[in-house]
Amino acid sequence: MSLPNNTSFHLSTFLLLGIPGMEAIHTWISMPFCLGNFSILFIIRTDSNLHEPMYFFLCMLSVADLILSTTAMPKILSIFWFHDREIYFEACLVQVFLIHSLCSMASGFILAMAFDRYVAICNPLRHSIILAHRVIQNLGLVTIFCGVVLYTPQPFMLWWLSYCRANVIPHNYCEFMPLIKLACAETRICRTYSLTAAFFTGGLDLILILCSYVVILFTVFHLPSEAAQLKTMGTCGSHVCLILVAYTPVFLSFLTHRFGHHMAPHIHIFVAKIFVLIPPMVNPMTYGIRTKRIRECPLQLFTSHKL
């Protein structure tokens, strides 16, 4: 449905196109996306040896990833499998809020894990005191609170806008910037707020993570032996992989939006899909493969059940 540009109206539904130009392989594209976070939660819940600050924060990240995936995945699958592209305006706004706030929370939990690595390496004797259970709970609650508060205005901004273009979104889920492009009103304030909120979550989190690792590296390089240095840095390996998986798609998404005006539409869609769906899929594998205790737990459970 397209209307003249001078017609202002309030939409009741949007049409999500999926990946424009690649409709014929939508079903095959949907296959690789699966969730491994349930296994992480189950393993940490059942193994008391994993009841440590790093793994508590990993559980929080897994919950955020699960909700994030289930927020976007059902509609994406309905597009790919059943060609059901319609989504109600209100549901679209809820999806915008959940996706952005949960991405913010995931970034906050990764920052909390960086703080855990900083304390464990730079002040190991006070690790259990500084990161007591109450502190862990408070860090989790503050992260959730910031994600909710910073992104609550976004759906209201979109609700108050008038739309004078087609209700077709060349995307496979609702996102703030593509919706802004359909509005016929002035959107500078909305865009500025969105960029500011993104900086105060992902941008500031990444800066603090990098600062923590600068201090960690300074401490590690002052250890007496090379073996001790390698062993200490080995405890950060999974978290470093997590940082790369989480923030690389963010930079790719920013670069494609900023400089990729002449790119094919499906390139933008793939980058956006990576930003939302790849980290929840890869994070459990990162810790499952690199963390010995998580890797061995399913084998122990299977062996004990078999016996």
Side-chain angles (χ1 to χ4, degrees), residues 16-291:
L16 296 166
L17 292 186
I19 304 179
M22 305 187 70
E23 291 82 0
I25 59 172
H26 274 179
T27 301
W28 299 105
I29 293 173
S30 67
M31 295 300 178
F33 297 104
C34 58
L35 298 173
N37 291 288
F38 277 121
S39 59
I40 292 291
L41 292 171
F42 175 76
I43 291 170
I44 295 176
R45 173 67 179 84
T46 55
D47 189 350
S48 59
N49 294 322
L50 296 175
H51 293 177
E52 299 175 1
M54 171 62 81
Y55 299 110
F56 287 139
F57 291 132
L58 179 59
C59 281
M60 297 177 192
L61 178 63
S62 294
V63 171
D65 284 343
L66 278 171
I67 302 173
L68 176 61
S69 297
T70 53
T71 297
M73 183 59 72
K75 192 59 193 177
I76 293 175
L77 293 181
S78 71
I79 295 171
F80 288 171
W81 290 352
F82 309 114
H83 306 289
D84 178 19
R85 297 182 171 90
E86 190 173 75
I87 184 171
Y88 286 108
F89 180 67
E90 293 81 5
C92 193
L93 298 186
V94 172
Q95 196 176 62
V96 168
F97 166 72
L98 288 175
I99 287 174
H100 287 85
S101 62
L102 288 166
C103 285
S104 168
M105 293 176 200
S107 177
F109 294 138
I110 294 173
L111 173 60
M113 296 167 80
F115 178 64
D116 169 79
R117 290 299 84 202
Y118 162 75
V119 176
I121 293 173
C122 300
N123 200 351
L125 297 179
R126 292 178 54 82
H127 180 257
S128 59
I129 299 173
I130 295 174
L131 284 171
H133 286 290
R134 178 169 293 182
V135 175
I136 295 170
Q137 293 172 2
N138 290 339
L139 286 173
L141 290 174
V142 168
T143 301
I144 295 170
F145 177 79
C146 290
V148 171
V149 169
L150 279 173
Y151 288 98
T152 294
Q154 278 194 342
F156 291 102
M157 290 177 180
L158 294 171
W159 177 269
W160 291 326
L161 289 175
S162 296
Y163 299 88
C164 53
R165 297 177 178 85
N167 68 334
V168 177
I169 304 173
H171 220 291
N172 44 34
Y173 59 86
C174 292
E175 201 178 11
F176 187 78
M177 286 303 180
L179 286 172
I180 284 290
K181 293 178 181 179
L182 300 179
C184 54
E186 173 59 48
T187 59
R188 184 178 302 174
I189 294 176
C190 298
R191 293 171 185 268
T192 302
Y193 182 86
S194 177
L195 292 173
T196 303
F199 171 76
F200 277 109
T201 53
L204 189 58
D205 289 347
L206 182 58
I207 291 172
L208 293 174
I209 289 170
L210 293 176
C211 290
S212 70
Y213 269 94
V214 168
V215 179
I216 287 172
L217 289 174
F218 181 80
T219 303
V220 168
F221 289 147
H222 281 78
L223 292 176
S225 66
E226 184 178 349
Q229 294 175 3
L230 292 174
K231 183 178 180 181
T232 303
M233 286 306 300
T235 63
C236 301
S238 296
H239 186 246
V240 171
C241 292
L242 205 68
I243 295 168
L244 294 175
V245 169
Y247 289 101
T248 301
V250 175
F251 284 109
L252 289 177
S253 180
F254 171 78
L255 291 174
T256 54
H257 277 291
R258 181 67 180 85
F259 303 107
H261 302 294
H262 302 293
M263 288 183 177
H266 63 267
I267 301 296
H268 291 274
I269 305 304
F270 266 124
V271 171
K273 186 188 294 293
I274 290 171
F275 171 65
V276 171
L277 295 178
I278 294 300
M281 183 176 68
V282 174
N283 289 345
M285 291 190 290
T286 300
Y287 268 86
I289 293 171
R290 293 190 57 86
T291 306

